[in-house]
Amino acid sequence: MIKKFIHQFASPKTYLFQVDRAYPYIFYASLFVYIGSLFWGLFLTSEDFVQGNSYRIIYLHVPASFISQSLYLAMAFASAIFLIWKVKLSAYLVKSIAPIGAVTTFIALVSGSIWGIPTWGTWWAWDARIISTLILFIMYLGLISLHDSFTDYEKADKFLAILVIVGSVNIPIIKMSVEWWSTLHQTASITVTEKPAIDASMLYPLFGSIIGFSGIVFCLVILSSKLQILLREKNKSWVKDYV
Amino acid sequence: MFNFAFDSIGEAFMMQSANGQYHGIYVWSVVFIVLTSLLVTFFIYKRKIRNIGKKIK
């Protein structure tokens, strides 16, 4: 029954028509929230008494870092669905998310490096959090290259799904690296179980920037998946009608 | 909570902190990199979708 439900609602055609309808609403709402939160964080919050104004990078670095890991988890989830129920839309999504994940991980790494100069006195340290994030970036690039190296899409999808699931072991390592090892990178300021370690005036714009950035990245995933569907289903009659 | 942290655009650009250091260069570099990365990615996908659409037609 679950299989029938998934196959009915996860057909590339249904997906494409649904996301096309939702896309403008998600895009403009996310853009509004992101720009508003950035304005709030960059101009309206007071200076941090330890880091000075450099702390304002938090409104760009944390959303990118959070999303880069979330996208990988989404890929692992889609990979599991593909391997269990053979839903081809899941395979398309895995391939579509990888480049967007690479972009957000790149942003997280670069923004973290720049933030490191005034805060740590160095732009790079061989620190557990930074290394595990760099591994995530290399994994995204590796997965894209691996899929592109195959001529048979079915084989490529299967290999990619297995590798994504195996690689997901890196996500808890990234998350826990600051707890397990002594690192330059600070521990998490926001956790589910404890009271946030940062003031509410700084926290609200941070939440806003995470929500807004997530929405914008979601729109990029929509575009990437749309491209993937058009490429893979180009010979279907409904695609010809769609374009 | 909603008071401006800076008195002028120049101050907001330079972002001088209490310790005397200017942090604007770091903050604005990151803003530029993030927004450029997002814009370029949107542009690339929009163009690729347009091109594949033309080929299918």
Side-chain angles (χ1 to χ4, degrees):
Chain A
M1 196 178 143
I2 298 172
K3 191 179 173 183
K4 195 180 167 190
F5 176 83
I6 290 175
H7 276 276
Q8 194 177 345
F9 288 95
S11 83
K13 185 182 172 184
T14 313
Y15 170 83
L16 207 56
F17 282 99
Q18 296 294 342
V19 294
D20 262 355
R21 259 197 300 192
Y23 180 87
Y25 299 105
I26 300 170
F27 179 77
Y28 288 113
S30 307
L31 195 66
F32 177 75
V33 172
Y34 191 54
I35 300 290
S37 303
L38 280 187
F39 184 82
W40 188 354
L42 293 174
F43 298 112
L44 303 180
T45 58
S46 51
E47 181 184 333
D48 180 70
F49 107 107
V50 178
Q51 296 189 35
N53 283 312
S54 69
Y55 99 92
R56 295 179 200 281
I57 294 174
I58 199 171
Y59 301 109
L60 300 134
H61 173 73
V62 171
S65 189
F66 170 76
I67 288 298
S68 62
Q69 293 163 50
S70 305
L71 285 179
Y72 198 93
L73 288 179
M75 275 171 71
F77 184 67
S79 298
I81 291 178
F82 172 67
L83 291 174
I84 297 166
W85 288 299
K86 305 273 177 263
V87 179
K88 61 179 175 181
L89 179 64
S90 303
Y92 296 173
L93 284 175
V94 174
K95 175 66 175 68
S96 314
I97 293 171
I100 312 300
V103 171
T104 55
T105 314
F106 168 79
I107 291 173
L109 281 169
V110 172
S111 59
S113 287
I114 295 173
W115 198 359
I117 301 167
T119 316
W120 301 336
T122 180
W123 65 275
W124 187 263
W126 293 103
D127 164 299
R129 172 59 72 87
I130 305 172
I131 295 169
S132 50
T133 308
L134 179 65
I135 290 172
L136 180 68
F137 180 61
I138 294 168
M139 272 164 47
Y140 274 127
L141 295 184
L143 292 168
I144 298 165
S145 311
L146 178 91
H147 197 277
D148 291 346
S149 66
F150 278 86
T151 44
D152 180 355
Y153 278 140
E154 264 184 49
K155 248 186 198 169
D157 290 341
K158 205 178 268 181
F159 267 105
L160 197 69
I162 293 166
L163 275 178
V164 167
I165 291 172
V166 172
S168 62
V169 72
N170 189 39
I171 301 301
I173 294 175
I174 297 175
K175 175 84 187 110
M176 298 309 293
S177 57
V178 287
E179 310 284 343
W180 290 342
W181 295 286
S182 171
T183 59
L184 259 180
H185 197 286
Q186 67 173 75
T187 52
S189 304
I190 312 164
T191 58
V192 181
T193 51
E194 285 168 35
K195 204 178 161 214
I198 59 174
D199 188 69
S201 63
M202 296 170 174
L203 190 65
Y204 296 143
L206 180 59
F207 277 140
S209 62
I210 292 172
I211 293 167
F213 189 78
S214 305
I216 290 171
V217 169
F218 186 67
C219 289
L220 280 173
V221 171
I222 289 176
L223 289 182
S224 179
S225 57
K226 191 172 169 176
L227 176 70
Q228 204 55 225
I229 291 170
L230 293 179
L231 278 170
R232 304 269 201 110
E233 309 261 318
K234 61 185 171 201
N235 297 325
K236 302 268 171 73
S237 59
W238 70 266
V239 172
K240 289 191 173 83
D241 297 335
Y242 174 80
V243 295
Chain B
M1 194 186 267
F2 291 106
N3 292 329
F4 271 99
F6 308 100
D7 292 328
S8 65
I9 294 173
E11 259 188 43
F13 186 72
M14 299 305 285
M15 288 194 177
Q16 189 178 18
S17 298
N19 63 6
Q21 287 182 343
Y22 292 98
H23 289 152
I25 182 75
Y26 306 113
V27 176
W28 294 117
S29 303
V30 173
V31 170
F32 176 77
I33 290 166
V34 172
L35 298 184
T36 308
S37 304
L38 290 175
L39 276 175
V40 168
T41 314
F42 267 106
F43 176 75
I44 290 172
Y45 277 110
K46 288 268 184 193
R47 205 181 63 174
K48 279 187 173 180
I49 289 169
R50 203 175 49 229
N51 288 348
I52 188 82
K54 274 182 196 167
K55 271 186 192 171
I56 292 169
K57 269 182 191 169

